[in-house]
Amino acid sequence: MTAHPGVDLGRPAPDVARALLGCTLVSRVSGEQVEVRLTEVEAYGATDDPGSHAYRGRTPRNGAMYEAGGTVYVYSIYGLHELLNLVTGPAGEASAVLVRAGVVVAGLETALARRGLEAAGPGLARGPGNLAVCLGITRALDGVRLGPGSLLDLVPADAPVLRSAVATGQRVGLRDDGRFERYWVVGESSVSAFRPAKPARPAPE
């Protein structure tokens, strides 16, 4: 099953990435509920995408990517941060969306405590490492399925973000090949300061 109520995660990663903007990730880790509205994501393919963890095939690390859309893929970077990805497409395809930034809309005190901060600001859940900390993401969640009875769930936006309010550009640290890119909500202060070398262009209609 690759569909989630209100969000079809069985589609190609770029299509899912755009649709995730404005949706809310709900975490119930350790009995503490934190909710983050998504403002920035990156799409990743499989063997056709040199930037993807699946580019060279299946490994013990990336096994969750090969599950059906709606599976959670968590990996560690530099041994310092756990990064949250949502698998897209059918089982075996191994595409995913990296969740890069958002706004904490519920569970603020828990998110602040996890970040070791006293007050909220636009950087609270800015960047995939910080966002994952706010949600309590660890490698223990690798391979779990999104859903109402799960530790992680995805709630569709009340109204989809208009395409005119979505910008796209190169992924952080990777060359933009025009297929798998970074997507963000224009004007959101929670979005990464990174900008591509070329001007960001509006997402196509």
Side-chain angles (χ1 to χ4, degrees):
M1 183 175 181
T2 58
H4 180 282
V7 182
D8 183 2
L9 296 170
R11 294 176 293 163
D15 295 337
V16 174
R18 293 188 186 96
L20 287 175
L21 294 174
C23 294
T24 298
L25 270 174
V26 180
S27 168
R28 305 181 183 92
V29 174
S30 300
E32 301 284 351
Q33 184 155 317
V34 176
E35 302 179 12
V36 174
R37 176 173 52 81
L38 303 183
T39 60
E40 182 184 8
V41 295
E42 286 180 348
Y44 286 85
T47 55
D48 58 342
D49 178 7
S52 171
H53 286 178
Y55 183 61
R56 299 187 184 280
R58 188 166 189 159
T59 68
R61 180 197 195 195
N62 67 17
M65 288 187 73
Y66 288 81
E67 300 300 323
T71 301
V72 173
Y73 170 47
V74 180
Y75 67 88
S76 300
I77 183 169
Y78 308 128
L80 299 173
H81 304 292
E82 313 287 348
L83 304 190
L84 172 64
N85 301 258
L86 305 183
V87 177
T88 66
E93 183 174 286
S95 61
V97 174
L98 170 66
V99 181
R100 284 200 54 85
V103 177
V104 177
V105 294
L108 181 59
E109 290 187 3
T110 298
L112 287 171
R114 287 172 174 168
R115 286 288 320 277
L117 300 174
E118 295 183 354
L124 178 59
R126 177 193 293 153
N130 291 334
L131 183 146
V133 171
C134 287
L135 291 172
I137 302 300
T138 68
R139 279 281 294 167
L141 295 173
D142 184 56
V144 307
R145 295 281 298 172
L146 295 172
S150 175
L151 291 175
L152 289 174
D153 195 12
L154 181 68
V155 178
D158 291 334
V161 176
L162 296 176
R163 283 188 175 270
S164 59
V166 176
T168 181
Q170 74 185 73
R171 297 173 296 187
V172 177
L174 296 172
R175 186 172 65 181
D176 174 13
D177 67 1
R179 297 176 303 151
F180 304 107
E181 301 180 298
R182 186 170 65 99
Y183 305 87
W184 66 93
V185 180
V186 175
E188 282 280 358
S189 60
S190 59
V191 172
S192 303
F194 170 82
R195 291 293 180 268
K198 62 183 179 181
R201 57 190 181 280
E205 292 294 341

